[in-house]
Amino acid sequence: GKILHGMLMIGPPGCGKTMLAKAIATEAGIPFLSTSGSEFVEIFVGVGASRVRKLFKQARQYSQAYGACIIFIDELEVVGKQRVFMDAFGGSSESNSTLNQLLVEMDGLNDDAAHIVVIGAMNAAEEVLDPALLRPGRFDRTISIGRPNLQERKDIFEYYAKRVRLDPSVDLARLARKAVYKTPADIENILKEAALVAVRGRRELITYKD
C-alpha cells in the first residue's frame, strides 16, 4: 500500500481544522509547512506557480532530512477552484497555471519518492474545487469537521474553563446544553467575555450570570 498524498478538511470556521493539522504534525514528529491559498494569488503572471514550486521544493528537502513532511494549505478554495477555459479577458490564466502547478506537484511527473502529505482546509462546499484536485492520488480523503455535539461542547467548556477562575457552582453541562450550534472558537470566546464581565463587576470568580 501507498501512503495518502492528500486529505481535505471541510467544515465551518472555528471548528479546529488548523489545530488538527498542527496536532497531526506534532504527533508524527515531522516538519510542518503552513500556507494559505491567498499567498499564491498575485497580480504578476507566473508568481503563483513559482511559489507552489518553491513550497514543494522546501517540503522535499525537509522530507529527505526528516523522513516526511506535511504541507498545510488553508483556504484551499482560493487556489483550487475550477479552471476557466473560456475567458474573454484572460484574467483566469494566472489562477489556472497556479492550480496546474499544484496538480503536477501533488501527483505528476516528479521522479523522487518524497513522503509529502498535503492537508487542505476550507469552509466552502466541495463542489467549488476542480475535479482533477479531488481524484485519487491527490486529495484522496475528504474529512468533514463539523460543529461539536453535546458531550464535545462540555469537554471544550472544561478545557477552556481551566484558564479562567470559575465559580465552583457553575454547571458546565448546563452551559453546553445552552450553547447549541456553537463552534469551539465561540465557546472559548464565551468564557473570555464572561471573564471581562466579571472583571468589570470587580469579582474574583466568574459566576453563571456572567
Side-chain angles (χ1 to χ4, degrees):
K2 284 188 175 182
I3 63 161
L4 295 176
H5 280 210
M7 58 189 247
L8 179 62
M9 297 196 219
I10 300 178
C15 282
K17 296 184 288 294
T18 312
M19 291 260 195
L20 270 169
K22 280 182 183 173
I24 293 166
T26 307
E27 289 197 8
I30 57 175
F32 178 79
L33 297 175
S34 177
T35 183
S36 159
S38 57
E39 287 182 33
F40 302 115
V41 180
E42 196 63 77
I43 193 167
F44 303 108
V45 175
V47 172
S50 75
R51 281 184 184 162
V52 173
R53 277 195 299 276
K54 193 175 170 186
L55 175 69
F56 276 84
K57 185 183 176 187
Q58 193 182 355
R60 283 194 191 94
Q61 287 168 348
Y62 276 134
S63 176
Q64 280 154 10
Y66 296 95
C69 181
I70 288 177
I71 295 175
F72 178 67
I73 305 175
D74 206 2
E75 314 301 344
L76 184 71
E77 73 273 9
V78 177
V79 71
K81 61 178 181 283
Q82 294 200 9
R83 287 168 287 184
V84 179
F85 297 106
M86 295 293 289
D87 186 2
F89 301 102
S92 65
S93 62
E94 167 64 359
S95 63
N96 282 2
S97 67
T98 306
L99 176 57
N100 286 344
Q101 189 64 50
L102 181 62
L103 295 175
V104 170
E105 292 288 353
M106 281 192 77
D107 189 21
L109 293 167
N110 39 27
D111 44 353
D112 55 347
H115 295 302
I116 300 171
V117 177
V118 183
I119 302 176
M122 64 176 203
N123 308 322
E126 202 179 340
E127 290 74 48
V128 302
L129 293 180
D130 197 272
L133 204 55
L134 295 172
R135 76 147 173 81
R138 292 199 178 116
F139 283 105
D140 299 89
R141 293 277 188 284
T142 303
I143 301 167
S144 178
I145 296 168
R147 291 176 172 84
N149 62 26
L150 180 62
Q151 181 58 44
E152 287 162 355
R153 285 198 300 275
K154 184 172 177 283
D155 293 342
I156 293 162
F157 264 114
E158 282 171 1
Y159 176 76
Y160 286 116
K162 289 174 191 167
R163 303 182 183 189
V164 293
R165 296 185 67 182
L166 206 62
D167 193 295
S169 66
V170 175
D171 183 14
L172 292 175
R174 186 180 166 201
L175 281 172
R177 285 195 293 276
K178 290 190 84 168
V180 178
Y181 215 63
K182 293 275 189 284
T183 65
D186 290 331
I187 291 170
E188 183 187 10
N189 198 48
I190 287 166
L191 286 163
K192 273 187 194 167
E193 291 291 334
L196 293 176
V197 172
V199 169
R200 284 201 292 271
R202 296 178 185 275
R203 286 187 299 281
E204 286 289 314
L205 296 174
I206 297 169
T207 63
Y208 196 82
K209 191 165 178 279
D210 302 322

